[in-house]
Amino acid sequence: MDGNLDALTTVFTEFYYWVTVVFMFLIHVGFCMYEVGASRARNHMHTLMKNIMIIPLVTVTFFLFGWWIYWAFPNFWVFGGSIDFESGAANLPWSENMATNLGDRITGVFWAAFLLFSWTAASIVSGSVIERIRSSALWVHAVLIGSVFWIIDAAWGWHYAGWMVQKLGYHDAYASGVIHAIAGGYALGVIMVLGPRIGKFAKDGTPRDIPPHNPWMLTIGIFLIYTGFWGFYAACNVPAISPEAIGGQITGTTWTATNIYLAPTSLSAITFNFLMSLSGGLMAAYVVSKGDAFWTFSGGLAGVITASAGNDLYHPIQAMIVAAIGVVIVYNLHYWVERKFKLDDAVGAVAVHGYAGFIGLVIAGFVLWGAPSSPFEGYASINPVGQFLGAIIMFFVLGFLPGFVVAKLQSMAGVLRIPEEVELMGLDYAEHHAYEDAKAEIIAADKAALAAKS
Amino acid sequence: MSTIGYESWAVDLADVGAIYPFQGWEVAMTVIGVIFWIGWHRIQFVREGQHLEEARKMGDKDKIDKMLDRY
């Protein structure tokens, strides 16, 4: 760190990303609470364990190869590009930068911010498959979505030099597509193969509601996700950088916050837009769901996700309206898909994340038409065709397709779904029967002790 | 043409102010925002009125007793 300003900027940036990581931890806590609240009592421990173990599995694999993919793949094979071994080298697990190093104070916190996005992507998939998937199968999917597919899409469309940004003008500042559309698409691919929970559909195909066992846990869960989302938004920005450090077309000496593409925005702008899109989503969801509490809460999230692609540039009222439009479409699409294809999206994750993310990308293409996607020369500007193609790549190519293929392979090998008897009995008894047995044993022992005294 | 008024970032940021789309339409956007807000209240008032009207005819004495006991 040369000079006081450089030192201050470095330490501020380091601390900034560190705080976002702590906030984003709450997203995972929220997902865990939401899933457990939504599952039935006989599946609690299994549901919780399924989501908790995403943390170590995705963390380890993201350290070993996920982070390298981000830096090495921005131009991989598309348009004659190749793997960027030079940029990737500093991010390999044996690099000095990926360790305690006083010469690099940023890689650790930046890696962690991306890692928390990885957990989120995996956790979105986890929610839609509760109460019938094998943990072993889900954990393979978690590694694939968390440390492979989402980070490929980030390299392509969420990197200042990604080919989608350069050629398509792809713009997705707060990850409508790169996290939510891909994870929702992936979940859709898995649940198509996995099938619905027993009892979800009547014999005539009419869907049944499977109510949450604990609505309050579910409510607190989603509020924690809202809270963690603040960290998610802040983590998508570079907090303070000079035009010289950006190295693009920006002239002058005025420092700025930027989005991930190094194009200017401000923390103030995204604070306006986060709150207005949350509000637009909540209000629209309340109306369209006729006051259904859980759809209203999820609608707030879906609203933010819909507006996220352009929330670095939208006017707050635009963010609110974009969110409201997205939520109305998402709600209707969810029930149409459920009825038409008999799919059991247990927590509405495909809808709230996948459809909202897809729609948000498309809308941003129109509202931000012609705006520069990057501060660098020669990049395509933001446009509806580029955003639509981007949405297809995120949702279908990198999300749905791998999810479907891997789930199909797992199904053929007989390792995707739990046996019907176990599903009816409950996973906690079948897999964690030691708890029930231990409980029964200690109750019997206590009763015997009591009887011996009397 | 760019909806935000800038087609590239080859500018001095000291000279840049608003960068949201459709500048000049702030009043129209505010009107849309007010319609959205007031419209929401209107829909909600009507629906809640209908719901309460239906709910008051749904009461079953035994069930109400149980609800009161449950607190």
Side-chain angles (χ1 to χ4, degrees):
Chain A
M1 293 190 285
D2 307 321
N4 288 341
L5 183 60
D6 191 23
L8 201 60
T9 308
T10 302
V11 172
F12 171 73
T13 304
E14 183 184 21
F15 188 66
Y16 175 94
Y17 284 118
W18 183 84
V19 171
T20 68
V21 170
V22 177
F23 264 101
M24 283 193 285
F25 209 102
L26 292 175
I27 295 179
H28 211 82
V29 178
F31 274 128
C32 284
M33 291 188 77
Y34 197 96
E35 276 190 37
V36 172
S39 65
R40 284 161 286 184
R42 62 185 193 264
N43 296 316
H44 279 172
M45 283 308 294
H46 177 271
T47 304
L48 183 60
M49 187 65 83
K50 177 170 66 63
N51 204 331
I52 288 292
M53 289 310 290
I54 285 173
I55 293 177
L57 291 166
V58 175
T59 301
V60 168
T61 50
F62 199 72
F63 184 86
L64 294 176
F65 52 80
W67 188 231
W68 174 80
I69 290 173
Y70 180 68
W71 292 101
F73 276 46
N75 291 298
F76 178 46
W77 68 264
V78 184
F79 301 111
S82 58
I83 297 176
D84 187 346
F85 287 105
E86 197 181 327
S87 297
N91 302 284
L92 283 164
W94 51 83
S95 161
E96 286 183 355
N97 298 71
M98 294 292 284
T100 314
N101 183 341
L102 296 185
D104 178 356
R105 295 164 192 263
I106 300 299
T107 295
V109 286
F110 205 44
W111 168 80
F114 272 68
L115 170 66
L116 272 284
F117 296 172
S118 303
W119 294 1
T120 296
S123 206
I124 290 167
V125 177
S126 170
S128 61
V129 297
I130 56 170
E131 300 193 306
R132 77 272 203 206
I133 199 167
R134 290 181 187 227
S135 294
S136 44
L138 184 274
W139 290 333
V140 171
H141 288 294
V143 169
L144 288 174
I145 185 74
S147 291
V148 180
F149 290 106
W150 108 262
I151 201 66
I152 291 175
D153 90 29
W156 289 1
W158 212 56
H159 183 294
Y160 67 89
W163 73 267
M164 288 175 64
V165 189
Q166 294 189 41
K167 307 291 181 189
L168 301 178
Y170 182 76
H171 185 83
D172 190 10
Y174 302 100
S176 290
V178 296
I179 285 291
H180 301 287
I182 188 177
Y186 196 103
L188 181 65
V190 176
I191 62 172
M192 274 186 79
V193 181
L194 181 63
R197 287 169 288 178
I198 293 169
K200 173 65 189 173
F201 292 96
K203 278 188 180 162
D204 65 356
T206 310
R208 293 192 185 104
D209 188 28
I210 301 180
H213 97 278
N214 187 333
W216 309 118
M217 184 179 272
L218 200 135
T219 303
I220 295 168
I222 202 151
F223 285 3
L224 283 172
I225 296 172
Y226 291 168
T227 311
F229 233 100
W230 286 97
F232 186 98
Y233 258 53
C236 294
N237 275 9
V238 174
I241 189 167
S242 68
E244 188 189 359
I246 293 171
Q249 293 178 289
I250 301 172
T251 61
T253 55
T254 304
W255 288 53
T256 182
T258 73
N259 58 27
I260 197 75
Y261 310 112
L262 301 176
T265 186
S266 71
L267 209 51
S268 190
I270 66 172
T271 303
F272 268 134
N273 290 344
F274 179 90
L275 287 169
M276 289 294 274
S277 53
L278 175 68
S279 303
L282 284 166
M283 289 168 77
Y286 182 94
V287 169
V288 76
S289 72
K290 297 187 169 59
D292 178 278
F294 303 110
W295 264 106
T296 302
F297 305 155
S298 293
L301 198 59
V304 175
I305 292 166
T306 309
S308 285
N311 260 352
D312 57 329
L313 292 171
Y314 289 155
H315 184 282
I317 294 175
Q318 292 164 353
M320 178 184 77
I321 298 297
V322 166
I325 292 169
V327 164
V328 173
I329 298 171
V330 160
Y331 179 85
N332 288 302
L333 199 52
H334 170 79
Y335 284 110
W336 182 78
V337 169
E338 184 178 88
R339 282 193 307 271
K340 181 87 179 167
F341 300 103
K342 309 286 175 268
L343 294 178
D344 181 9
D345 175 12
V347 296
V350 175
V352 170
H353 298 274
Y355 305 155
F358 190 103
I359 293 159
L361 289 172
V362 175
I363 293 175
F366 288 96
V367 180
L368 301 176
W369 202 338
S373 64
S374 160
F376 299 105
E377 197 174 359
Y379 281 47
S381 55
I382 303 168
N383 66 91
V385 175
Q387 289 295 103
F388 183 71
L389 290 174
I392 298 281
I393 291 169
M394 295 301 161
F395 189 93
F396 288 107
V397 179
L398 291 173
F400 177 82
L401 204 58
F404 183 84
V405 170
V406 175
K408 201 78 186 165
L409 292 172
Q410 290 174 329
S411 177
M412 286 159 65
V415 295
L416 178 65
R417 187 163 178 142
I418 59 173
E420 197 175 310
E421 297 83 354
V422 177
E423 189 175 341
L424 288 168
M425 192 167 24
L427 280 156
D428 284 359
Y429 185 78
E431 285 191 20
H432 304 284
H433 58 81
Y435 173 79
E436 292 295 334
D437 292 350
K439 213 169 73 176
E441 201 174 325
I442 198 71
I443 289 169
D446 285 348
K447 283 183 178 171
L450 189 67
K453 276 193 179 280
S454 56
Chain B
M1 278 296 290
S2 163
T3 57
I4 69 164
Y6 294 92
E7 291 179 15
S8 89
W9 289 118
V11 292
D12 184 340
L13 294 180
D15 302 327
V16 177
I19 53 169
Y20 51 81
F22 310 116
Q23 290 157 42
W25 288 83
E26 291 82 357
V27 174
M29 285 194 285
T30 305
V31 170
I32 291 168
V34 170
I35 291 170
F36 180 73
W37 162 54
I38 297 291
W40 188 90
H41 279 299
R42 161 80 185 149
I43 292 168
Q44 200 274 333
F45 260 85
V46 171
R47 284 215 186 135
E48 188 172 22
Q50 288 169 346
H51 169 73
L52 291 173
E53 209 42 48
E54 284 166 21
R56 69 192 290 221
K57 294 168 192 159
M58 288 168 72
D60 174 298
K61 195 177 173 308
D62 291 342
K63 281 184 184 168
I64 294 170
D65 282 346
K66 278 183 190 162
M67 294 287 276
L68 292 173
D69 287 338
R70 221 181 99 198
Y71 188 60

